[in-house]
Amino acid sequence: MKLLITGGAGFIGSNFIRYLLEKYPTDQVINLDALTYAGNLANLKDIEKNPNYRFVKGDITNKKLVSELIAELDVVVHLAAESHVDRSIMDPEAFLKTNILGTHTLLEAARENGLKRFHHVSTDEVFGSLGPNDPAFNETTPYDPRSPYSASKAASDHLVRAYFHTYGLPVTISNCSNNYGPYMFPEKLMPLFITNLLEGKKVPLYGDGLNVRDWLWVEDHCAAIDLIVRQGKIGETYCIGGNSEKTNKEITYKILELMDKGEEAIEFVKDRPGHDRRYAIDFSKIKNELGWEPRVTFAEGMQRMAEWYRNNEAWWRDIKSGEYQKYYEQQYGK
Ligand code: NAD
Ligand code: DAU
C-alpha cells in the first residue's frame, strides 16, 4: 500500500507512521506536514532514513502540491489539523483555514485523482458536552460543537460525508476521544503537567477540575485507524474510545503521585470559556464489526507516560525553549 499521511509530524501522526512502518515493512509512506508550531521532525528521528518513508514539507491548502502527491497514491489518512482548543479560542482563523479549507483541498484532489480510500481522523468534541448521567456519544449522536476547534472539525466531517454522498468518494471517518502517549506536545493537559512538575513549576487546573475526558493510549488509536483503513466499510463512521473516563482532578492527582509531588503544586486557574463538561464514547460498533478494543489500561498508560517524559527530557525541553523548530533546517537545509 502507498499512503499519504497528513500531519505526520504531530503527536498522533508520528505515532501512526511509526506503527505503519513497523507493521507493514513493504508499505510506502509519504508524510505531508506544514511544520506549524505543533509539527516536530524530532518525533520521527528514528525512522527518517527508512527507505519506505518520505517527508514533504507543505500545506494541505496547497492545491497543486496535494494533487501531485495524491496522484501517486492509493490511500490518504488525514490527520493534519490545528488541534488545541485554547488556541482556537484565542485565534480561530487558522483552524478554519486548515481544518475546513485544507480538508476540502484534499477531498477535491482525491476526487480528481480517483483515490481508492480517504480516511478522515476526527474527534469526539464534534458531539458537544455531556451531563454526568447522559449516555456516551456514538455514531448516531447529533453534532453540537461548542468551540471554534470542534466547529471546524465538525465542518470537515460534514464535507467528508458530502463527498461520499455526492461524488461517491470512498471515505471513512473516525471520531476519537483524548489520546495520550509519547510525543504529545506539552501544551496539552498531561504533558504540560508532567513537564511543569519536572521543571519544579505548578500545574494550572481549569475551573473546579471536575471536567471529564475519556483517555486512550495513542497506539491503541493507531491500531483502530489502521483497521478502519484496511477493513472499514466505505461511507461509515467509527467512534473510538478508551473506556477510561477521568476528571481532570483525578488525572492531576495521578500525575502528582507518579512525579512524587504534593497537592501544593496545583494552581486552580480561571476556567476555559465554553469548557465542555464531559466526553464519553461508546465504541461498540468498531468492537463488534472490526474486533477493536483498547489494550493499554489507564494505570499502565500513565506509568508509561511518566516514564517516557522522564526519559526524553531533551525532546520536551527543546519544545519548551523553541529549539525544536530548527530541526528541519538542520536535517534538510533552508
Ligand atoms: P497535533 O497538533 O499534534 O499535530 C497536527 C499536525 O498537523 C502538526 O504536525 C502540524 O504541523 C500539522 N499541520 C497543521 N496545519 C497544517 C497544514 N495546514 N498543512 C499541513 N500540516 C499541517 O495534532 P494531534 O493531536 O496529533 O491530532 C491529529 C488529528 O487527530 C487531528 O485531526 C485532531 O483533530 C485529531 N484528534 C486528536 C485527538 C487528541 O487527543 N490529540 C483526539 C481525537 C482526534
Ligand atoms: O477529545 C479529543 C480532543 O482532546 C482532541 O480533539 C483535541 O485535539 C485534544 O487537544 C483534546 O482536547 P481537550 O481540550 O480535551 O485537551 P486538553 O489537553 O487541552 O485539555 C484536557 C482537559 O484538561 C480539559 O478539560 C481542559 C483541562 N486543562 C487543560 C490544560 C491545557 C486544564 O485544566 N489545564 C490546562 O492547562
Side-chain angles (χ1 to χ4, degrees):
M1 214 184 245
K2 235 179 149 181
L3 306 101
L4 178 71
I5 312 301
T6 69
F11 162 47
I12 302 173
S14 59
N15 278 285
F16 185 60
I17 290 176
R18 184 171 293 100
Y19 180 93
L20 285 178
L21 292 172
E22 271 168 23
K23 189 160 179 202
Y24 307 101
T26 57
D27 277 6
Q28 290 176 47
V29 174
I30 299 178
N31 171 14
L32 171 64
D33 197 296
L35 297 185
T36 67
Y37 81 93
N40 183 358
L41 288 178
N43 297 0
L44 295 155
K45 211 171 172 180
D46 53 326
I47 54 166
E48 68 192 1
K49 297 210 163 65
N50 185 316
N52 289 330
Y53 167 75
R54 175 153 73 99
F55 173 67
V56 177
K57 183 172 189 277
D59 199 297
I60 56 165
T61 59
N62 179 337
K63 286 185 190 167
K64 185 167 172 287
L65 172 67
V66 160
S67 186
E68 278 167 12
L69 289 172
I70 289 185
E72 298 176 30
L73 301 151
D74 312 309
V75 175
V76 171
V77 182
H78 174 34
L79 295 114
E82 287 293 337
S83 72
H84 192 46
V85 175
D86 294 323
R87 286 182 189 256
S88 84
I89 294 167
M90 286 184 291
D91 189 5
E93 197 174 328
F95 288 73
L96 274 54
K97 281 191 181 144
T98 288
N99 300 1
I100 306 177
L101 297 179
T103 302
H104 177 249
T105 306
L106 290 165
L107 289 167
E108 269 298 300
R111 182 165 83 91
E112 277 165 18
N113 290 288
L115 186 79
K116 292 202 189 96
R117 179 71 80 133
F118 186 96
H119 180 68
H120 178 59
V121 177
S122 191
T123 170
D124 59 358
E125 300 201 8
V126 298
F127 301 122
S129 179
L130 294 169
N133 300 314
D134 289 338
F137 302 133
N138 68 24
E139 292 78 6
T140 64
T141 304
Y143 275 41
D144 183 23
R146 294 155 36 104
S147 73
Y149 164 67
S150 54
S152 68
K153 290 296 289 187
S156 68
D157 293 10
H158 291 320
L159 275 172
V160 173
R161 273 189 203 104
Y163 270 66
F164 168 67
H165 290 292
T166 309
Y167 305 112
L169 191 75
V171 308
T172 43
I173 298 177
S174 51
N175 295 92
C176 187
S177 62
N178 286 62
N179 285 216
Y180 69 115
Y183 304 105
M184 190 174 186
F185 198 86
E187 67 182 346
K188 308 273 166 95
L189 175 77
M190 281 196 196
L192 177 73
F193 282 21
I194 293 172
T195 58
N196 271 11
L197 293 173
L198 288 169
E199 289 179 302
K201 293 184 188 160
K202 291 198 176 226
V203 297
L205 193 52
Y206 295 165
D208 61 6
L210 296 179
N211 300 66
V212 175
R213 298 291 182 264
D214 169 31
W215 293 92
L216 176 69
W217 186 248
V218 64
E219 281 154 17
D220 280 334
H221 186 194
C222 295
I225 297 172
D226 177 42
L227 256 185
I228 298 168
V229 167
R230 282 160 214 265
Q231 294 173 39
K233 216 169 129 206
I234 300 287
E236 293 289 314
T237 293
Y238 297 88
C239 281
I240 305 170
N243 212 7
S244 195
E245 282 185 55
K246 305 283 171 213
T247 64
N248 295 334
K249 241 184 175 173
E250 286 175 286
I251 299 289
T252 305
Y253 277 93
K254 184 72 202 167
I255 291 174
L256 289 171
E257 178 198 315
L258 288 164
M259 309 314 289
D260 235 348
K261 300 279 180 189
E263 61 186 350
E264 62 285 353
I266 301 176
E267 188 179 7
F268 282 92
V269 297
K270 201 165 143 255
D271 209 356
R272 170 184 282 175
H275 198 174
D276 288 341
R277 194 62 172 168
R278 172 177 166 241
Y279 305 139
I281 285 271
D282 169 357
F283 58 85
S284 27
K285 177 174 172 180
I286 187 168
K287 185 175 177 192
N288 296 335
E289 291 184 13
L290 303 181
W292 176 90
E293 58 186 328
R295 289 185 169 194
V296 177
T297 62
F298 180 74
E300 186 188 340
M302 287 305 294
Q303 286 282 355
R304 285 201 210 173
M305 186 78 185
E307 222 172 272
W308 194 87
Y309 282 82
R310 275 191 207 284
N311 294 338
N312 289 276
E313 194 166 328
W315 178 87
W316 60 260
R317 282 203 187 273
D318 273 359
I319 293 177
K320 285 195 153 178
S321 71
E323 203 46 34
Y324 75 110
Q325 285 172 317
K326 296 184 187 147
Y327 193 85
Y328 176 77
E329 280 178 20
Q330 284 159 9
Q331 298 303 310
Y332 296 85
K334 291 221 182 205

